[in-house]
Amino acid sequence: MEKINENIELEQMKEQLSILKKKLENESILNDRLMRKAMSEKVSKINHDAIAAYIIIFFAIPYCTWVFIYLLNLSWWFCGVTDIFLLIALIYTYISHRGIRSNEILEGNLLEVSYKIARMKKMYADWLKIGVPFLVIWITWFVLEVLHNSKGEEAHGVLIGGAVGAVIGVVIGSWKYRRIQRKAKEVIEQIHEQCKE
């Protein structure tokens, strides 16, 4: 009789252990889904920033051409170099974001997504090595062009407007850059945490 009671208790403990194990697995799956959703939203925001950059550059090329050539009477060389740089920035942004999809985080291989985001993060950092020196040269060239093609008050007004635009551009660009780098770092760290578990 005692042996039967022990067997019954043992069976009940096995059932309870099995139920507990299933609950832990379900909780783990739910936690994994929630983490993937949070990472997916961050990746989506990173991609929205890229789309905003595409739109801005798309409109900046014809706008800059019109302003530089027809309003400010700057050289075609200056305008052409500006347009080429903007086009390169557009292509570089596209290449750096290529293959990064928010739905991949929900369904795909997290290590592969982590690699793509790390590549994008590095490409953004590398762009500063190209973009900052170019902007220093470009701003110097802009000042020389304005001083050569405009006189007195007009040149003064254009240079002040250009300086204000440059400061605003640097502030917004720095903010966007830091935000994208921070979000990319957070996603990479979350992916590595998820993979450890």
Side-chain angles (χ1 to χ4, degrees):
M1 187 73 165
E2 196 174 303
K3 191 145 182 129
I4 294 173
N5 284 341
E6 284 179 11
N7 284 341
I8 291 172
E9 285 177 14
L10 188 62
E11 285 302 315
Q12 287 175 342
M13 286 174 64
K14 283 183 181 179
E15 284 179 36
Q16 288 173 349
L17 206 60
S18 175
I19 291 169
L20 183 62
K21 190 175 180 183
K22 285 179 184 176
K23 282 184 179 180
L24 286 173
E25 285 174 4
N26 287 341
E27 192 173 307
S28 177
I29 290 169
L30 181 62
N31 187 35
D32 181 60
R33 285 185 185 152
L34 289 173
M35 289 297 289
R36 283 178 181 252
K37 182 142 179 64
M39 289 184 283
S40 175
E41 288 171 3
K42 287 179 183 176
V43 169
S44 182
K45 287 179 183 174
I46 290 171
N47 285 335
H48 286 309
D49 284 345
I51 291 167
Y54 302 148
I55 292 168
I56 290 168
I57 294 170
F58 181 76
F59 286 108
I61 291 173
Y63 177 76
C64 288
T65 302
W66 177 72
V67 169
F68 293 159
I69 298 296
Y70 298 106
L71 292 182
L72 300 178
N73 198 30
L74 303 183
S75 73
W76 281 95
W77 281 104
F78 179 77
C79 184
V81 168
T82 302
D83 290 346
I84 289 169
F85 180 76
L86 289 172
L87 190 60
I88 290 170
L90 179 83
I91 293 167
Y92 193 88
T93 303
Y94 173 77
I95 290 170
S96 65
H97 284 264
R98 187 178 53 207
I100 298 174
R101 308 263 182 275
S102 58
N103 64 347
E104 271 187 359
I105 288 186
L106 294 173
E107 304 157 1
N109 181 343
L110 289 180
L111 289 177
E112 189 176 315
V113 173
S114 174
Y115 168 76
K116 290 176 184 177
I117 292 173
R119 189 193 90 227
M120 179 210 66
K121 189 175 181 298
K122 183 181 180 328
M123 287 182 76
Y124 266 73
D126 290 345
W127 179 253
L128 287 181
K129 297 173 189 172
I130 300 164
V132 171
F134 176 82
L135 283 177
V136 170
I137 294 167
W138 184 87
I139 289 170
T140 304
W141 191 4
F142 176 77
V143 169
L144 294 173
E145 285 274 338
V146 169
L147 291 175
H148 182 264
N149 292 309
S150 303
K151 303 293 181 228
E153 288 292 317
E154 182 184 355
H156 187 72
V158 170
L159 291 177
I160 289 174
V164 169
V167 168
I168 291 170
V170 166
V171 168
I172 291 172
S174 297
W175 174 72
K176 287 276 193 187
Y177 172 78
R178 284 195 309 272
R179 189 172 99 161
I180 287 173
Q181 291 291 72
R182 186 186 74 247
K183 286 192 183 307
K185 182 181 177 190
E186 288 171 2
V187 170
I188 291 167
E189 287 173 353
Q190 286 177 333
I191 287 173
H192 288 282
E193 282 298 313
Q194 209 53 11
C195 290
K196 282 179 190 175
E197 293 173 8

